[in-house]
Amino acid sequence: MLFESFNYGQQSFENRIAMAPMTRSRTSQPGDVPNDMMATYYKQRANAGLIITEGAPISAVGRGYSMTPGIYTQAHIDGWKKVTEAVHSAGSKVFIQLWHVGRRSHETIAGEQPVSASAVKDPDQVFGPLPEGGFGMVETGMPRALSEQDIQDTIADFVQAAKNAMEAGFDGVEIHAAHGYLIDQFMRMASNQRTDQYGGCQENRMRFMLETVEAVAKEIGSDKVAIRVSPHVIEGYAEEDPEIIQLTLKALAKLAPMNLAYVHFSENISRYVEAPESFRQQVREVYPNPIMVAGKLTKETAQQLLDKQYADLVAFGTPYVTNPDLVQRFKNDWPLTEFDADARLTLYGGNDKGYIDYPEYQQAQIKTQAQPA
């Protein structure tokens, strides 16, 4: 099933394999504009049925990592057109991940005080400018709580970003509601201490997420909208949320009638607990529409998820960093290039080294055979 096509609504993917979103921080400056090097990077990996881009901030205040490509200026739109044209020319589809980091930022990155559901901070670091110059990991700032008007303005920013994505030629958008970022901050008890309609009970804490998805779907069509969640990941928080699993299942039941392109579960990264099979069964009971799973999958474990109908699509992150021809390697049982310490060092920022210089398997074999004994 990994290599079978997948069709849902107006979407059609050549296979069930997706390239998961991964921050790479390779934009052109000033303005954090997508560039030719990024277009090459994504085109090299367009053997996936679907590519999901790295997170693209929907606004300046939504930015939490330096040198990430935005989707809120005309220059961003024009830059992303290079990427979508490159991916489409190689026969794949591409969604952009719409990103607002919330409190996981610093004023030197966002240009103003970070925002969140509440004025609550946990120890956390993000990639930004260092006081002594250059870039590295910096401690996040204390956020201010969004007002109800701020919330409506932020939803409008998501909608505008989705419209911009359509202008840039994307096949759809994936709303980032995972990994301790803004929407996730509204859903979790520790970061949401509001007493208005966006805080308190579970229904209120999922309200911002549901209103955002509904507004974006109304603007560009629900089959062009996906959402990423991570209920089993504890990233950006001091401790687990005792209600996040129950809240997620309730939210999925409310999302089901919207007929989204897919719901994307991010798992097994940062601090996490493993998703039990009982959770996958509960998800299927309330959510009959397309599901994607990502998180340290292998070809074998991905196939098992498809066989058990727990997932319809499976996403691979770091294997795609070092194996641009991942689908062909899977098909032919060719060995994978390991995501090693050197690859990790070039993950964020830099030039084409560790970005677009990884050879396909057959190219590597030819090069090896051509070397003198």
Side-chain angles (χ1 to χ4, degrees):
M1 287 177 64
L2 273 175
F3 310 114
E4 291 179 2
S5 62
F6 181 73
N7 303 288
Y8 183 77
Q10 299 298 309
Q11 299 292 350
S12 177
F13 306 139
E14 190 172 315
N15 54 58
R16 307 292 184 105
I17 296 170
M19 175 179 163
M22 290 177 290
T23 297
R24 301 303 307 272
S25 297
R26 292 305 206 284
T27 54
S28 295
Q29 302 300 321
D32 296 300
V33 178
N35 52 38
D36 291 337
M37 185 168 60
M38 289 173 57
T40 298
Y41 168 75
Y42 284 112
K43 184 176 181 178
Q44 288 175 340
R45 290 153 180 80
N47 47 84
L50 172 65
I51 286 177
I52 309 159
T53 73
E54 58 211 284
I58 62 166
S59 61
V61 73
R63 179 178 296 282
Y65 294 76
S66 293
M67 296 183 289
T68 52
I71 187 62
Y72 53 90
T73 71
Q74 189 60 50
H76 294 150
I77 295 169
D78 294 341
W80 278 120
K81 284 179 181 178
K82 298 177 181 180
V83 173
T84 59
E85 289 168 2
V87 171
H88 289 152
S89 72
S92 187
K93 301 292 179 66
V94 57
F95 277 35
I96 186 172
Q97 187 182 69
L98 302 183
W99 196 18
H100 193 309
V101 304
R103 69 181 186 175
R104 302 197 69 189
S105 186
H106 188 275
E107 62 181 18
T108 58
I109 303 170
E112 61 181 275
Q113 184 180 8
V115 298
S116 185
S118 300
V120 177
K121 173 179 161 46
D122 280 328
D124 194 14
Q125 291 187 324
V126 290
F127 184 72
L130 299 171
E132 63 271 23
F135 293 88
M137 302 309 289
V138 297
E139 184 66 20
T140 55
M142 172 63 73
R144 69 172 180 85
L146 289 167
S147 69
E148 291 200 33
Q149 183 58 55
D150 290 334
I151 290 171
Q152 296 308 311
D153 292 343
T154 303
I155 292 173
D157 286 342
F158 272 102
V159 172
Q160 185 60 53
K163 291 170 66 176
N164 294 347
M166 294 299 100
E167 183 181 341
F170 284 99
D171 299 291
V173 304
E174 178 182 284
I175 296 170
H176 202 341
H179 298 178
Y181 297 123
L182 182 63
I183 294 177
D184 198 39
Q185 290 160 29
F186 270 82
M187 294 194 291
R188 300 199 186 226
M189 298 170 66
S191 48
N192 186 344
Q193 298 178 9
R194 304 176 70 97
T195 57
D196 61 6
Q197 63 175 333
Y198 291 97
C201 66
Q202 292 180 17
E203 285 70 19
N204 282 358
R205 281 184 279 122
M206 70 177 76
R207 187 186 304 276
F208 175 52
M209 181 267 283
L210 294 171
E211 288 183 354
T212 299
V213 174
E214 187 173 23
V216 173
K218 183 178 179 181
E219 183 64 40
I220 67 170
S222 61
D223 61 345
K224 296 183 181 70
V225 180
I227 186 167
R228 192 182 213 202
V229 294
S230 57
H232 291 93
V233 175
I234 313 152
E235 185 176 0
Y237 303 100
E239 57 187 24
E240 291 180 53
D241 186 305
E243 294 188 6
I244 191 61
I245 302 301
Q246 186 181 25
L247 182 149
T248 299
L249 292 169
K250 288 181 179 179
L252 287 171
K254 293 180 181 293
L255 288 170
M258 297 186 193
N259 297 317
L260 303 178
Y262 59 85
V263 168
H264 183 180
F265 289 94
S266 178
E267 302 173 352
N268 302 334
I269 66 166
S270 187
R271 293 167 52 231
Y272 67 90
V273 292
E274 193 165 334
E277 189 159 3
S278 59
F279 175 74
R280 304 205 189 281
Q281 293 168 348
Q282 288 175 300
V283 168
R284 270 307 185 201
E285 287 174 6
V286 299
Y287 198 80
N289 300 330
I291 290 171
M292 179 187 294
V293 174
K296 293 186 173 64
L297 295 177
T298 64
K299 175 184 174 181
E300 292 72 27
T301 58
Q303 184 61 60
Q304 290 169 12
L305 287 171
L306 296 174
D307 288 341
K308 293 182 178 181
Q309 299 184 359
Y310 292 150
D312 305 280
L313 301 160
V314 284
F316 296 85
T318 51
Y320 255 120
V321 170
T322 50
N323 301 276
D325 57 336
L326 186 66
V327 171
Q328 284 73 25
R329 295 196 188 218
F330 281 163
K331 277 185 177 180
N332 294 284
D333 289 322
W334 293 334
L336 300 186
T337 300
E338 183 185 355
F339 182 75
D340 56 15
D342 288 339
R344 201 171 291 278
L345 284 173
T346 56
L347 198 58
Y348 302 121
N351 51 26
D352 60 353
K353 180 175 173 55
Y355 190 58
I356 58 173
D357 60 342
Y358 288 106
E360 296 182 359
Y361 178 76
Q362 289 177 307
Q363 293 173 334
Q365 293 301 106
I366 291 171
K367 184 176 180 181
T368 300
Q369 291 167 6
Q371 290 177 346

